[in-house]
Amino acid sequence: MNHYKHTNEQYTCPMHPEVISDKPGSCPKCGMNLVPQVHNQKEMTKWEKFKMSMTMAMGMEHSGLAGREMAALMERDIRNKFWFAFIITIGIILYSPMGEMLPGMQLPSPIPIPWLLFILTTPVFFYSGWIFLYSTYKALQKKIVNMAVLIAVGITAAYGFSIVLTVIGSADSYYEAAAMLITFVLFGHWMEMKSRRGTTDALQALMNLVPPQARVIRNEKEILVSTADVRIGEIVVLKPGDKVPVDGVIVEGETAIDESLVTGESIPVAKKIGDEVIGASINQSGSVQFKATKVGADTALAQIVKLVEIAQNSKAPGQKLADRFAKYLVFVAVGGGLLTFIIWYFVMGESLLFALTFAISTIVIACPDALGLATPTAVAVGTSLGAKHNILIKDAPTLEQVSKIQAVILDKTGTLTEGKPKVTDVAAFNGFTEADVLRYEASVEVKSSHPLAKAILEEVERRQTLDIPTIEKFESIAGHGVKAIAQGKTILAGKEKLLLDNSVSTDSARDVLDTLASEGKTLSLVSVDGVLAGVIGAADTIKPTAARAIAALKELHIEIAMITGDHQKVAEAVGRELGIERIFAGVLPADKAKYVKKLQDEGKFVAMVGDGVNDAPALAQADIGIAIGAGTDVAIETAKIVLMRSDPADIIRAIRLSKATVLKMKQNLFWASIYNLLAIPVAAGVLYPSFGISLRPEIAALLMSISSIIVATNAVLLKRAEKSLITV
């Protein structure tokens, strides 16, 4: 197999990418070998990939591979191991004492059933279960006791003693216990790895926003080149509808550029000579030329990618409750088994087989079948309930941690608001009517693609009684407005500066203009033959459920802050209407994560809710990132929770779901642990001398199954919380 040199001396875990080390070694969380974080992209053959997957699964040394492909290989390997174990375990159960309890399940066997079970269980144990055995070896090397150790103890005791019983000719065995436990836990690992795939997908979604080609001027000719070939100082040509390939400064022309994906600004920004343009934003109207000032890794978009990567890799998942219980249950299981054997064999003088039977029964009854199910079953029910109400929760730690939220930062545009302007005010002056203002404005906006123009046309369509006159000599004045002739009259529509530049007085509307501007409205003034006819105010309207969501968050004593790239006045107007006191306005993309960090530094567990590319670093930095489903792919991939209906009230539903699920998780862990802890003394033979009561191996296996049923049933009862989810 070829060995691939890497360009970065940092190493990370395929299953836990937040674990980063400067030296090769093993992951302290799962025991897997750390792999180089950055690798050459050299192609591998299918056979090499297969061997890589096998060496990863077995914990052997392996060569470098691209991080994204490495994660995909590991996920595929875990998935294959799960399905292999699942299919064979069905047969094991049918031939085991558990299967014999089912009516009419006396299956034929070509060889003695214990030997058949041995043949079926062995590949499950050594192929599917090897990851737990190796992880335990690495954990014990580091003097760590975790869930992997407990799983390894359980499956090894059940499998190992079953072999002993089979060899000596006993009909008893615990093969089904080992196979079922391996299957349950592999399923949980598979689901965890699927959730982690979003990290690299988020970065890929960001980079896909950059256009593949750019128009540049070389040797006094306009040519198309790859965006990667654009050099600093080159002149880039931007035409209407083009995506900006790199960062730069305009040197010729005027236009309006939609920067909403990058800055969160809901209205296209007017650009003139000397203004900066940002890569991945979209040119709306005019043609301009700009000088490239930042290319490649230095662009604003590349910096956002870097921020997302740093924030995601630096986050550590919450400590799982099951690991805390497992840490102590390992000592209880192993120590209890050894103590039982010592007492019965050395103190009581019983036979070796008698003492060993009680000892193994003790270990088997402590085997964490139910503990392995305790959190996955609650998580499965919780996430399915969330999905039913269009709340997608990506992993179990997130579902657990949402209940801890102390502060929520909400992006304004697209999260609290609709993300597009709507007409809110129409004022007429100098003898004109509101209908006149709308008619004339609509007539010149028909050919415009500006979002404000679309809002005005939608308002005219809503009123239905207005006839729009035809126009001629249409002229778009980039960054200022439009001009045309309608019914023989000269119509101007746009910013106040456009009217003033054409000697149209706005003094008669000063009070109205100032009032609307103070409310954060976007204004379009209309003049007819040099006389001010009126003004139309538009705003990004607030979502109907936003106010209820804010009120419900306050009832939970959660601090609320709003963050936006919009102007201070716009933000304050939205904040006043919703009752949000803490407002961060005019925030640049790279700074949004800093504001999240600011609240975290205050000791708060912070959730960030957003929908744009500019929100991605903040979503990654937050303890819990929540994306609005109507937002960009990168926001959805970066976040841990996705609200598919784009409904702010779903934030409350997610928190309630988390609280209910965590309660079930704790209840399940209690039942899974207390059930076994109470049964361990009985399995050890405490009641045998006085009452002759003992737990035979087959009874111990049955009790393990019953504890699993209790845990699964309790998790299903979580559905009772559904009514509280839908009412906000």
Side-chain angles (χ1 to χ4, degrees), residues 87-101:
I87 292 170
I88 296 182
T89 298
I90 293 175
I92 294 171
I93 292 173
L94 293 178
Y95 276 101
S96 71
M98 292 179 63
E100 292 175 0
M101 296 177 187

Side-chain angles (χ1 to χ4, degrees), residues 306-340:
K306 183 179 179 181
L307 287 169
V308 172
E309 192 171 29
I310 291 173
Q312 286 187 325
N313 286 335
S314 64
K315 282 202 312 185
Q319 177 69 33
K320 291 183 175 64
L321 291 173
D323 279 338
R324 295 181 218 152
F325 281 83
K327 178 179 179 181
Y328 301 107
L329 202 53
V330 168
F331 297 109
V332 172
V334 177
L338 289 174
L339 183 62
T340 299

Side-chain angles (χ1 to χ4, degrees), residues 48-101:
E48 288 172 333
K49 289 181 180 179
F50 172 75
K51 289 193 293 182
M52 170 66 73
S53 177
M54 290 301 297
T55 55
M56 287 170 60
M58 296 178 67
M60 298 166 61
E61 292 301 324
H62 49 75
S63 35
L65 185 63
R68 182 171 182 167
E69 192 170 0
M70 176 75 77
L73 273 177
M74 191 62 191
E75 181 190 334
R76 188 158 56 246
D77 183 71
I78 294 292
R79 180 198 64 196
N80 293 342
K81 282 177 167 56
F82 162 72
W83 283 116
F84 180 84
F86 177 77
I87 292 170
I88 296 182
T89 298
I90 293 175
I92 294 171
I93 292 173
L94 293 178
Y95 276 101
S96 71
M98 292 179 63
E100 292 175 0
M101 296 177 187

Side-chain angles (χ1 to χ4, degrees), residues 418-707:
E418 298 290 354
K420 58 181 181 179
K422 289 186 178 180
V423 172
T424 56
D425 302 271
V426 180
F429 309 101
N430 302 317
F432 291 92
T433 64
E434 288 186 10
D436 293 332
V437 175
L438 282 170
R439 285 176 60 249
Y440 285 123
E441 175 91 34
S443 67
V444 296
E445 298 287 11
V446 168
K447 295 185 178 181
S448 175
S449 60
H450 195 285
L452 183 57
K454 294 179 181 178
I456 292 168
L457 292 173
E458 286 176 1
E459 178 65 16
V460 170
E461 185 178 351
R462 187 183 67 81
R463 299 197 180 196
Q464 294 183 341
T465 57
L466 302 178
D467 294 324
I468 301 176
T470 56
I471 61 170
E472 54 188 16
K473 297 184 179 180
F474 176 84
E475 179 184 354
S476 176
I477 304 169
H480 293 86
V482 292
K483 180 179 181 180
I485 304 296
Q487 296 177 335
K489 299 176 181 179
T490 301
I491 311 297
L492 292 172
K495 294 184 177 180
E496 184 176 5
K497 187 176 186 304
L498 174 65
L499 272 65
L500 295 176
D501 289 347
N502 285 271
S503 302
V504 178
S505 174
T506 59
D507 293 342
S508 59
R510 178 51 47 203
D511 291 342
V512 174
L513 296 178
D514 291 343
T515 299
L516 293 176
S518 67
E519 294 173 353
K521 305 287 177 63
T522 300
L523 306 182
S524 179
L525 284 70
V526 184
S527 71
V528 179
D529 280 342
V531 178
L532 177 65
V535 60
I536 297 175
D540 187 1
T541 55
I542 294 172
K543 291 182 177 178
T545 58
R548 292 203 306 275
I550 299 301
L553 286 170
K554 288 183 175 180
E555 289 177 3
L556 294 175
H557 305 290
I558 294 175
E559 182 178 348
I560 305 164
M562 184 178 72
I563 193 166
T564 180
D566 264 348
H567 300 297
Q568 186 71 30
K569 287 184 178 180
V570 176
E572 288 176 352
V574 173
R576 281 195 302 270
E577 188 168 345
L578 292 175
I580 301 175
E581 291 81 20
R582 197 166 187 179
I583 297 172
F584 308 126
V587 180
L588 297 175
D591 292 336
K592 286 196 173 184
K594 295 179 183 177
Y595 282 92
V596 173
K597 186 70 165 54
K598 179 179 179 181
L599 264 67
Q600 290 173 327
D601 290 341
E602 295 174 5
K604 298 181 178 70
F605 194 84
V606 181
M608 169 70 195
V609 187
D611 73 324
V613 172
N614 59 303
D615 301 320
L619 289 170
Q621 175 64 46
D623 297 294
I624 300 292
I626 303 175
I628 292 293
T632 60
D633 289 342
V634 64
I636 293 173
E637 292 295 345
T638 306
K640 290 294 186 181
I641 297 177
V642 180
L643 309 180
M644 296 304 295
R645 292 185 299 193
S646 300
D647 184 355
D650 282 342
I651 301 169
I652 296 297
R653 297 184 177 101
I655 293 174
R656 289 176 179 172
L657 176 62
S658 174
K659 290 181 180 294
T661 304
V662 167
L663 178 61
K664 286 299 177 186
M665 289 165 62
K666 291 179 178 178
Q667 290 174 350
N668 279 356
L669 289 168
F670 171 80
W671 283 113
S673 300
I674 202 67
Y675 191 95
N676 287 351
L677 291 174
L678 291 176
I680 285 173
V682 180
V686 171
L687 301 179
Y688 185 77
S690 301
F691 304 98
I693 298 175
S694 65
L695 290 180
R696 295 292 302 161
E698 60 270 21
I699 301 300
L702 179 61
L703 287 175
M704 283 192 299
S705 302
I706 293 175
S707 65

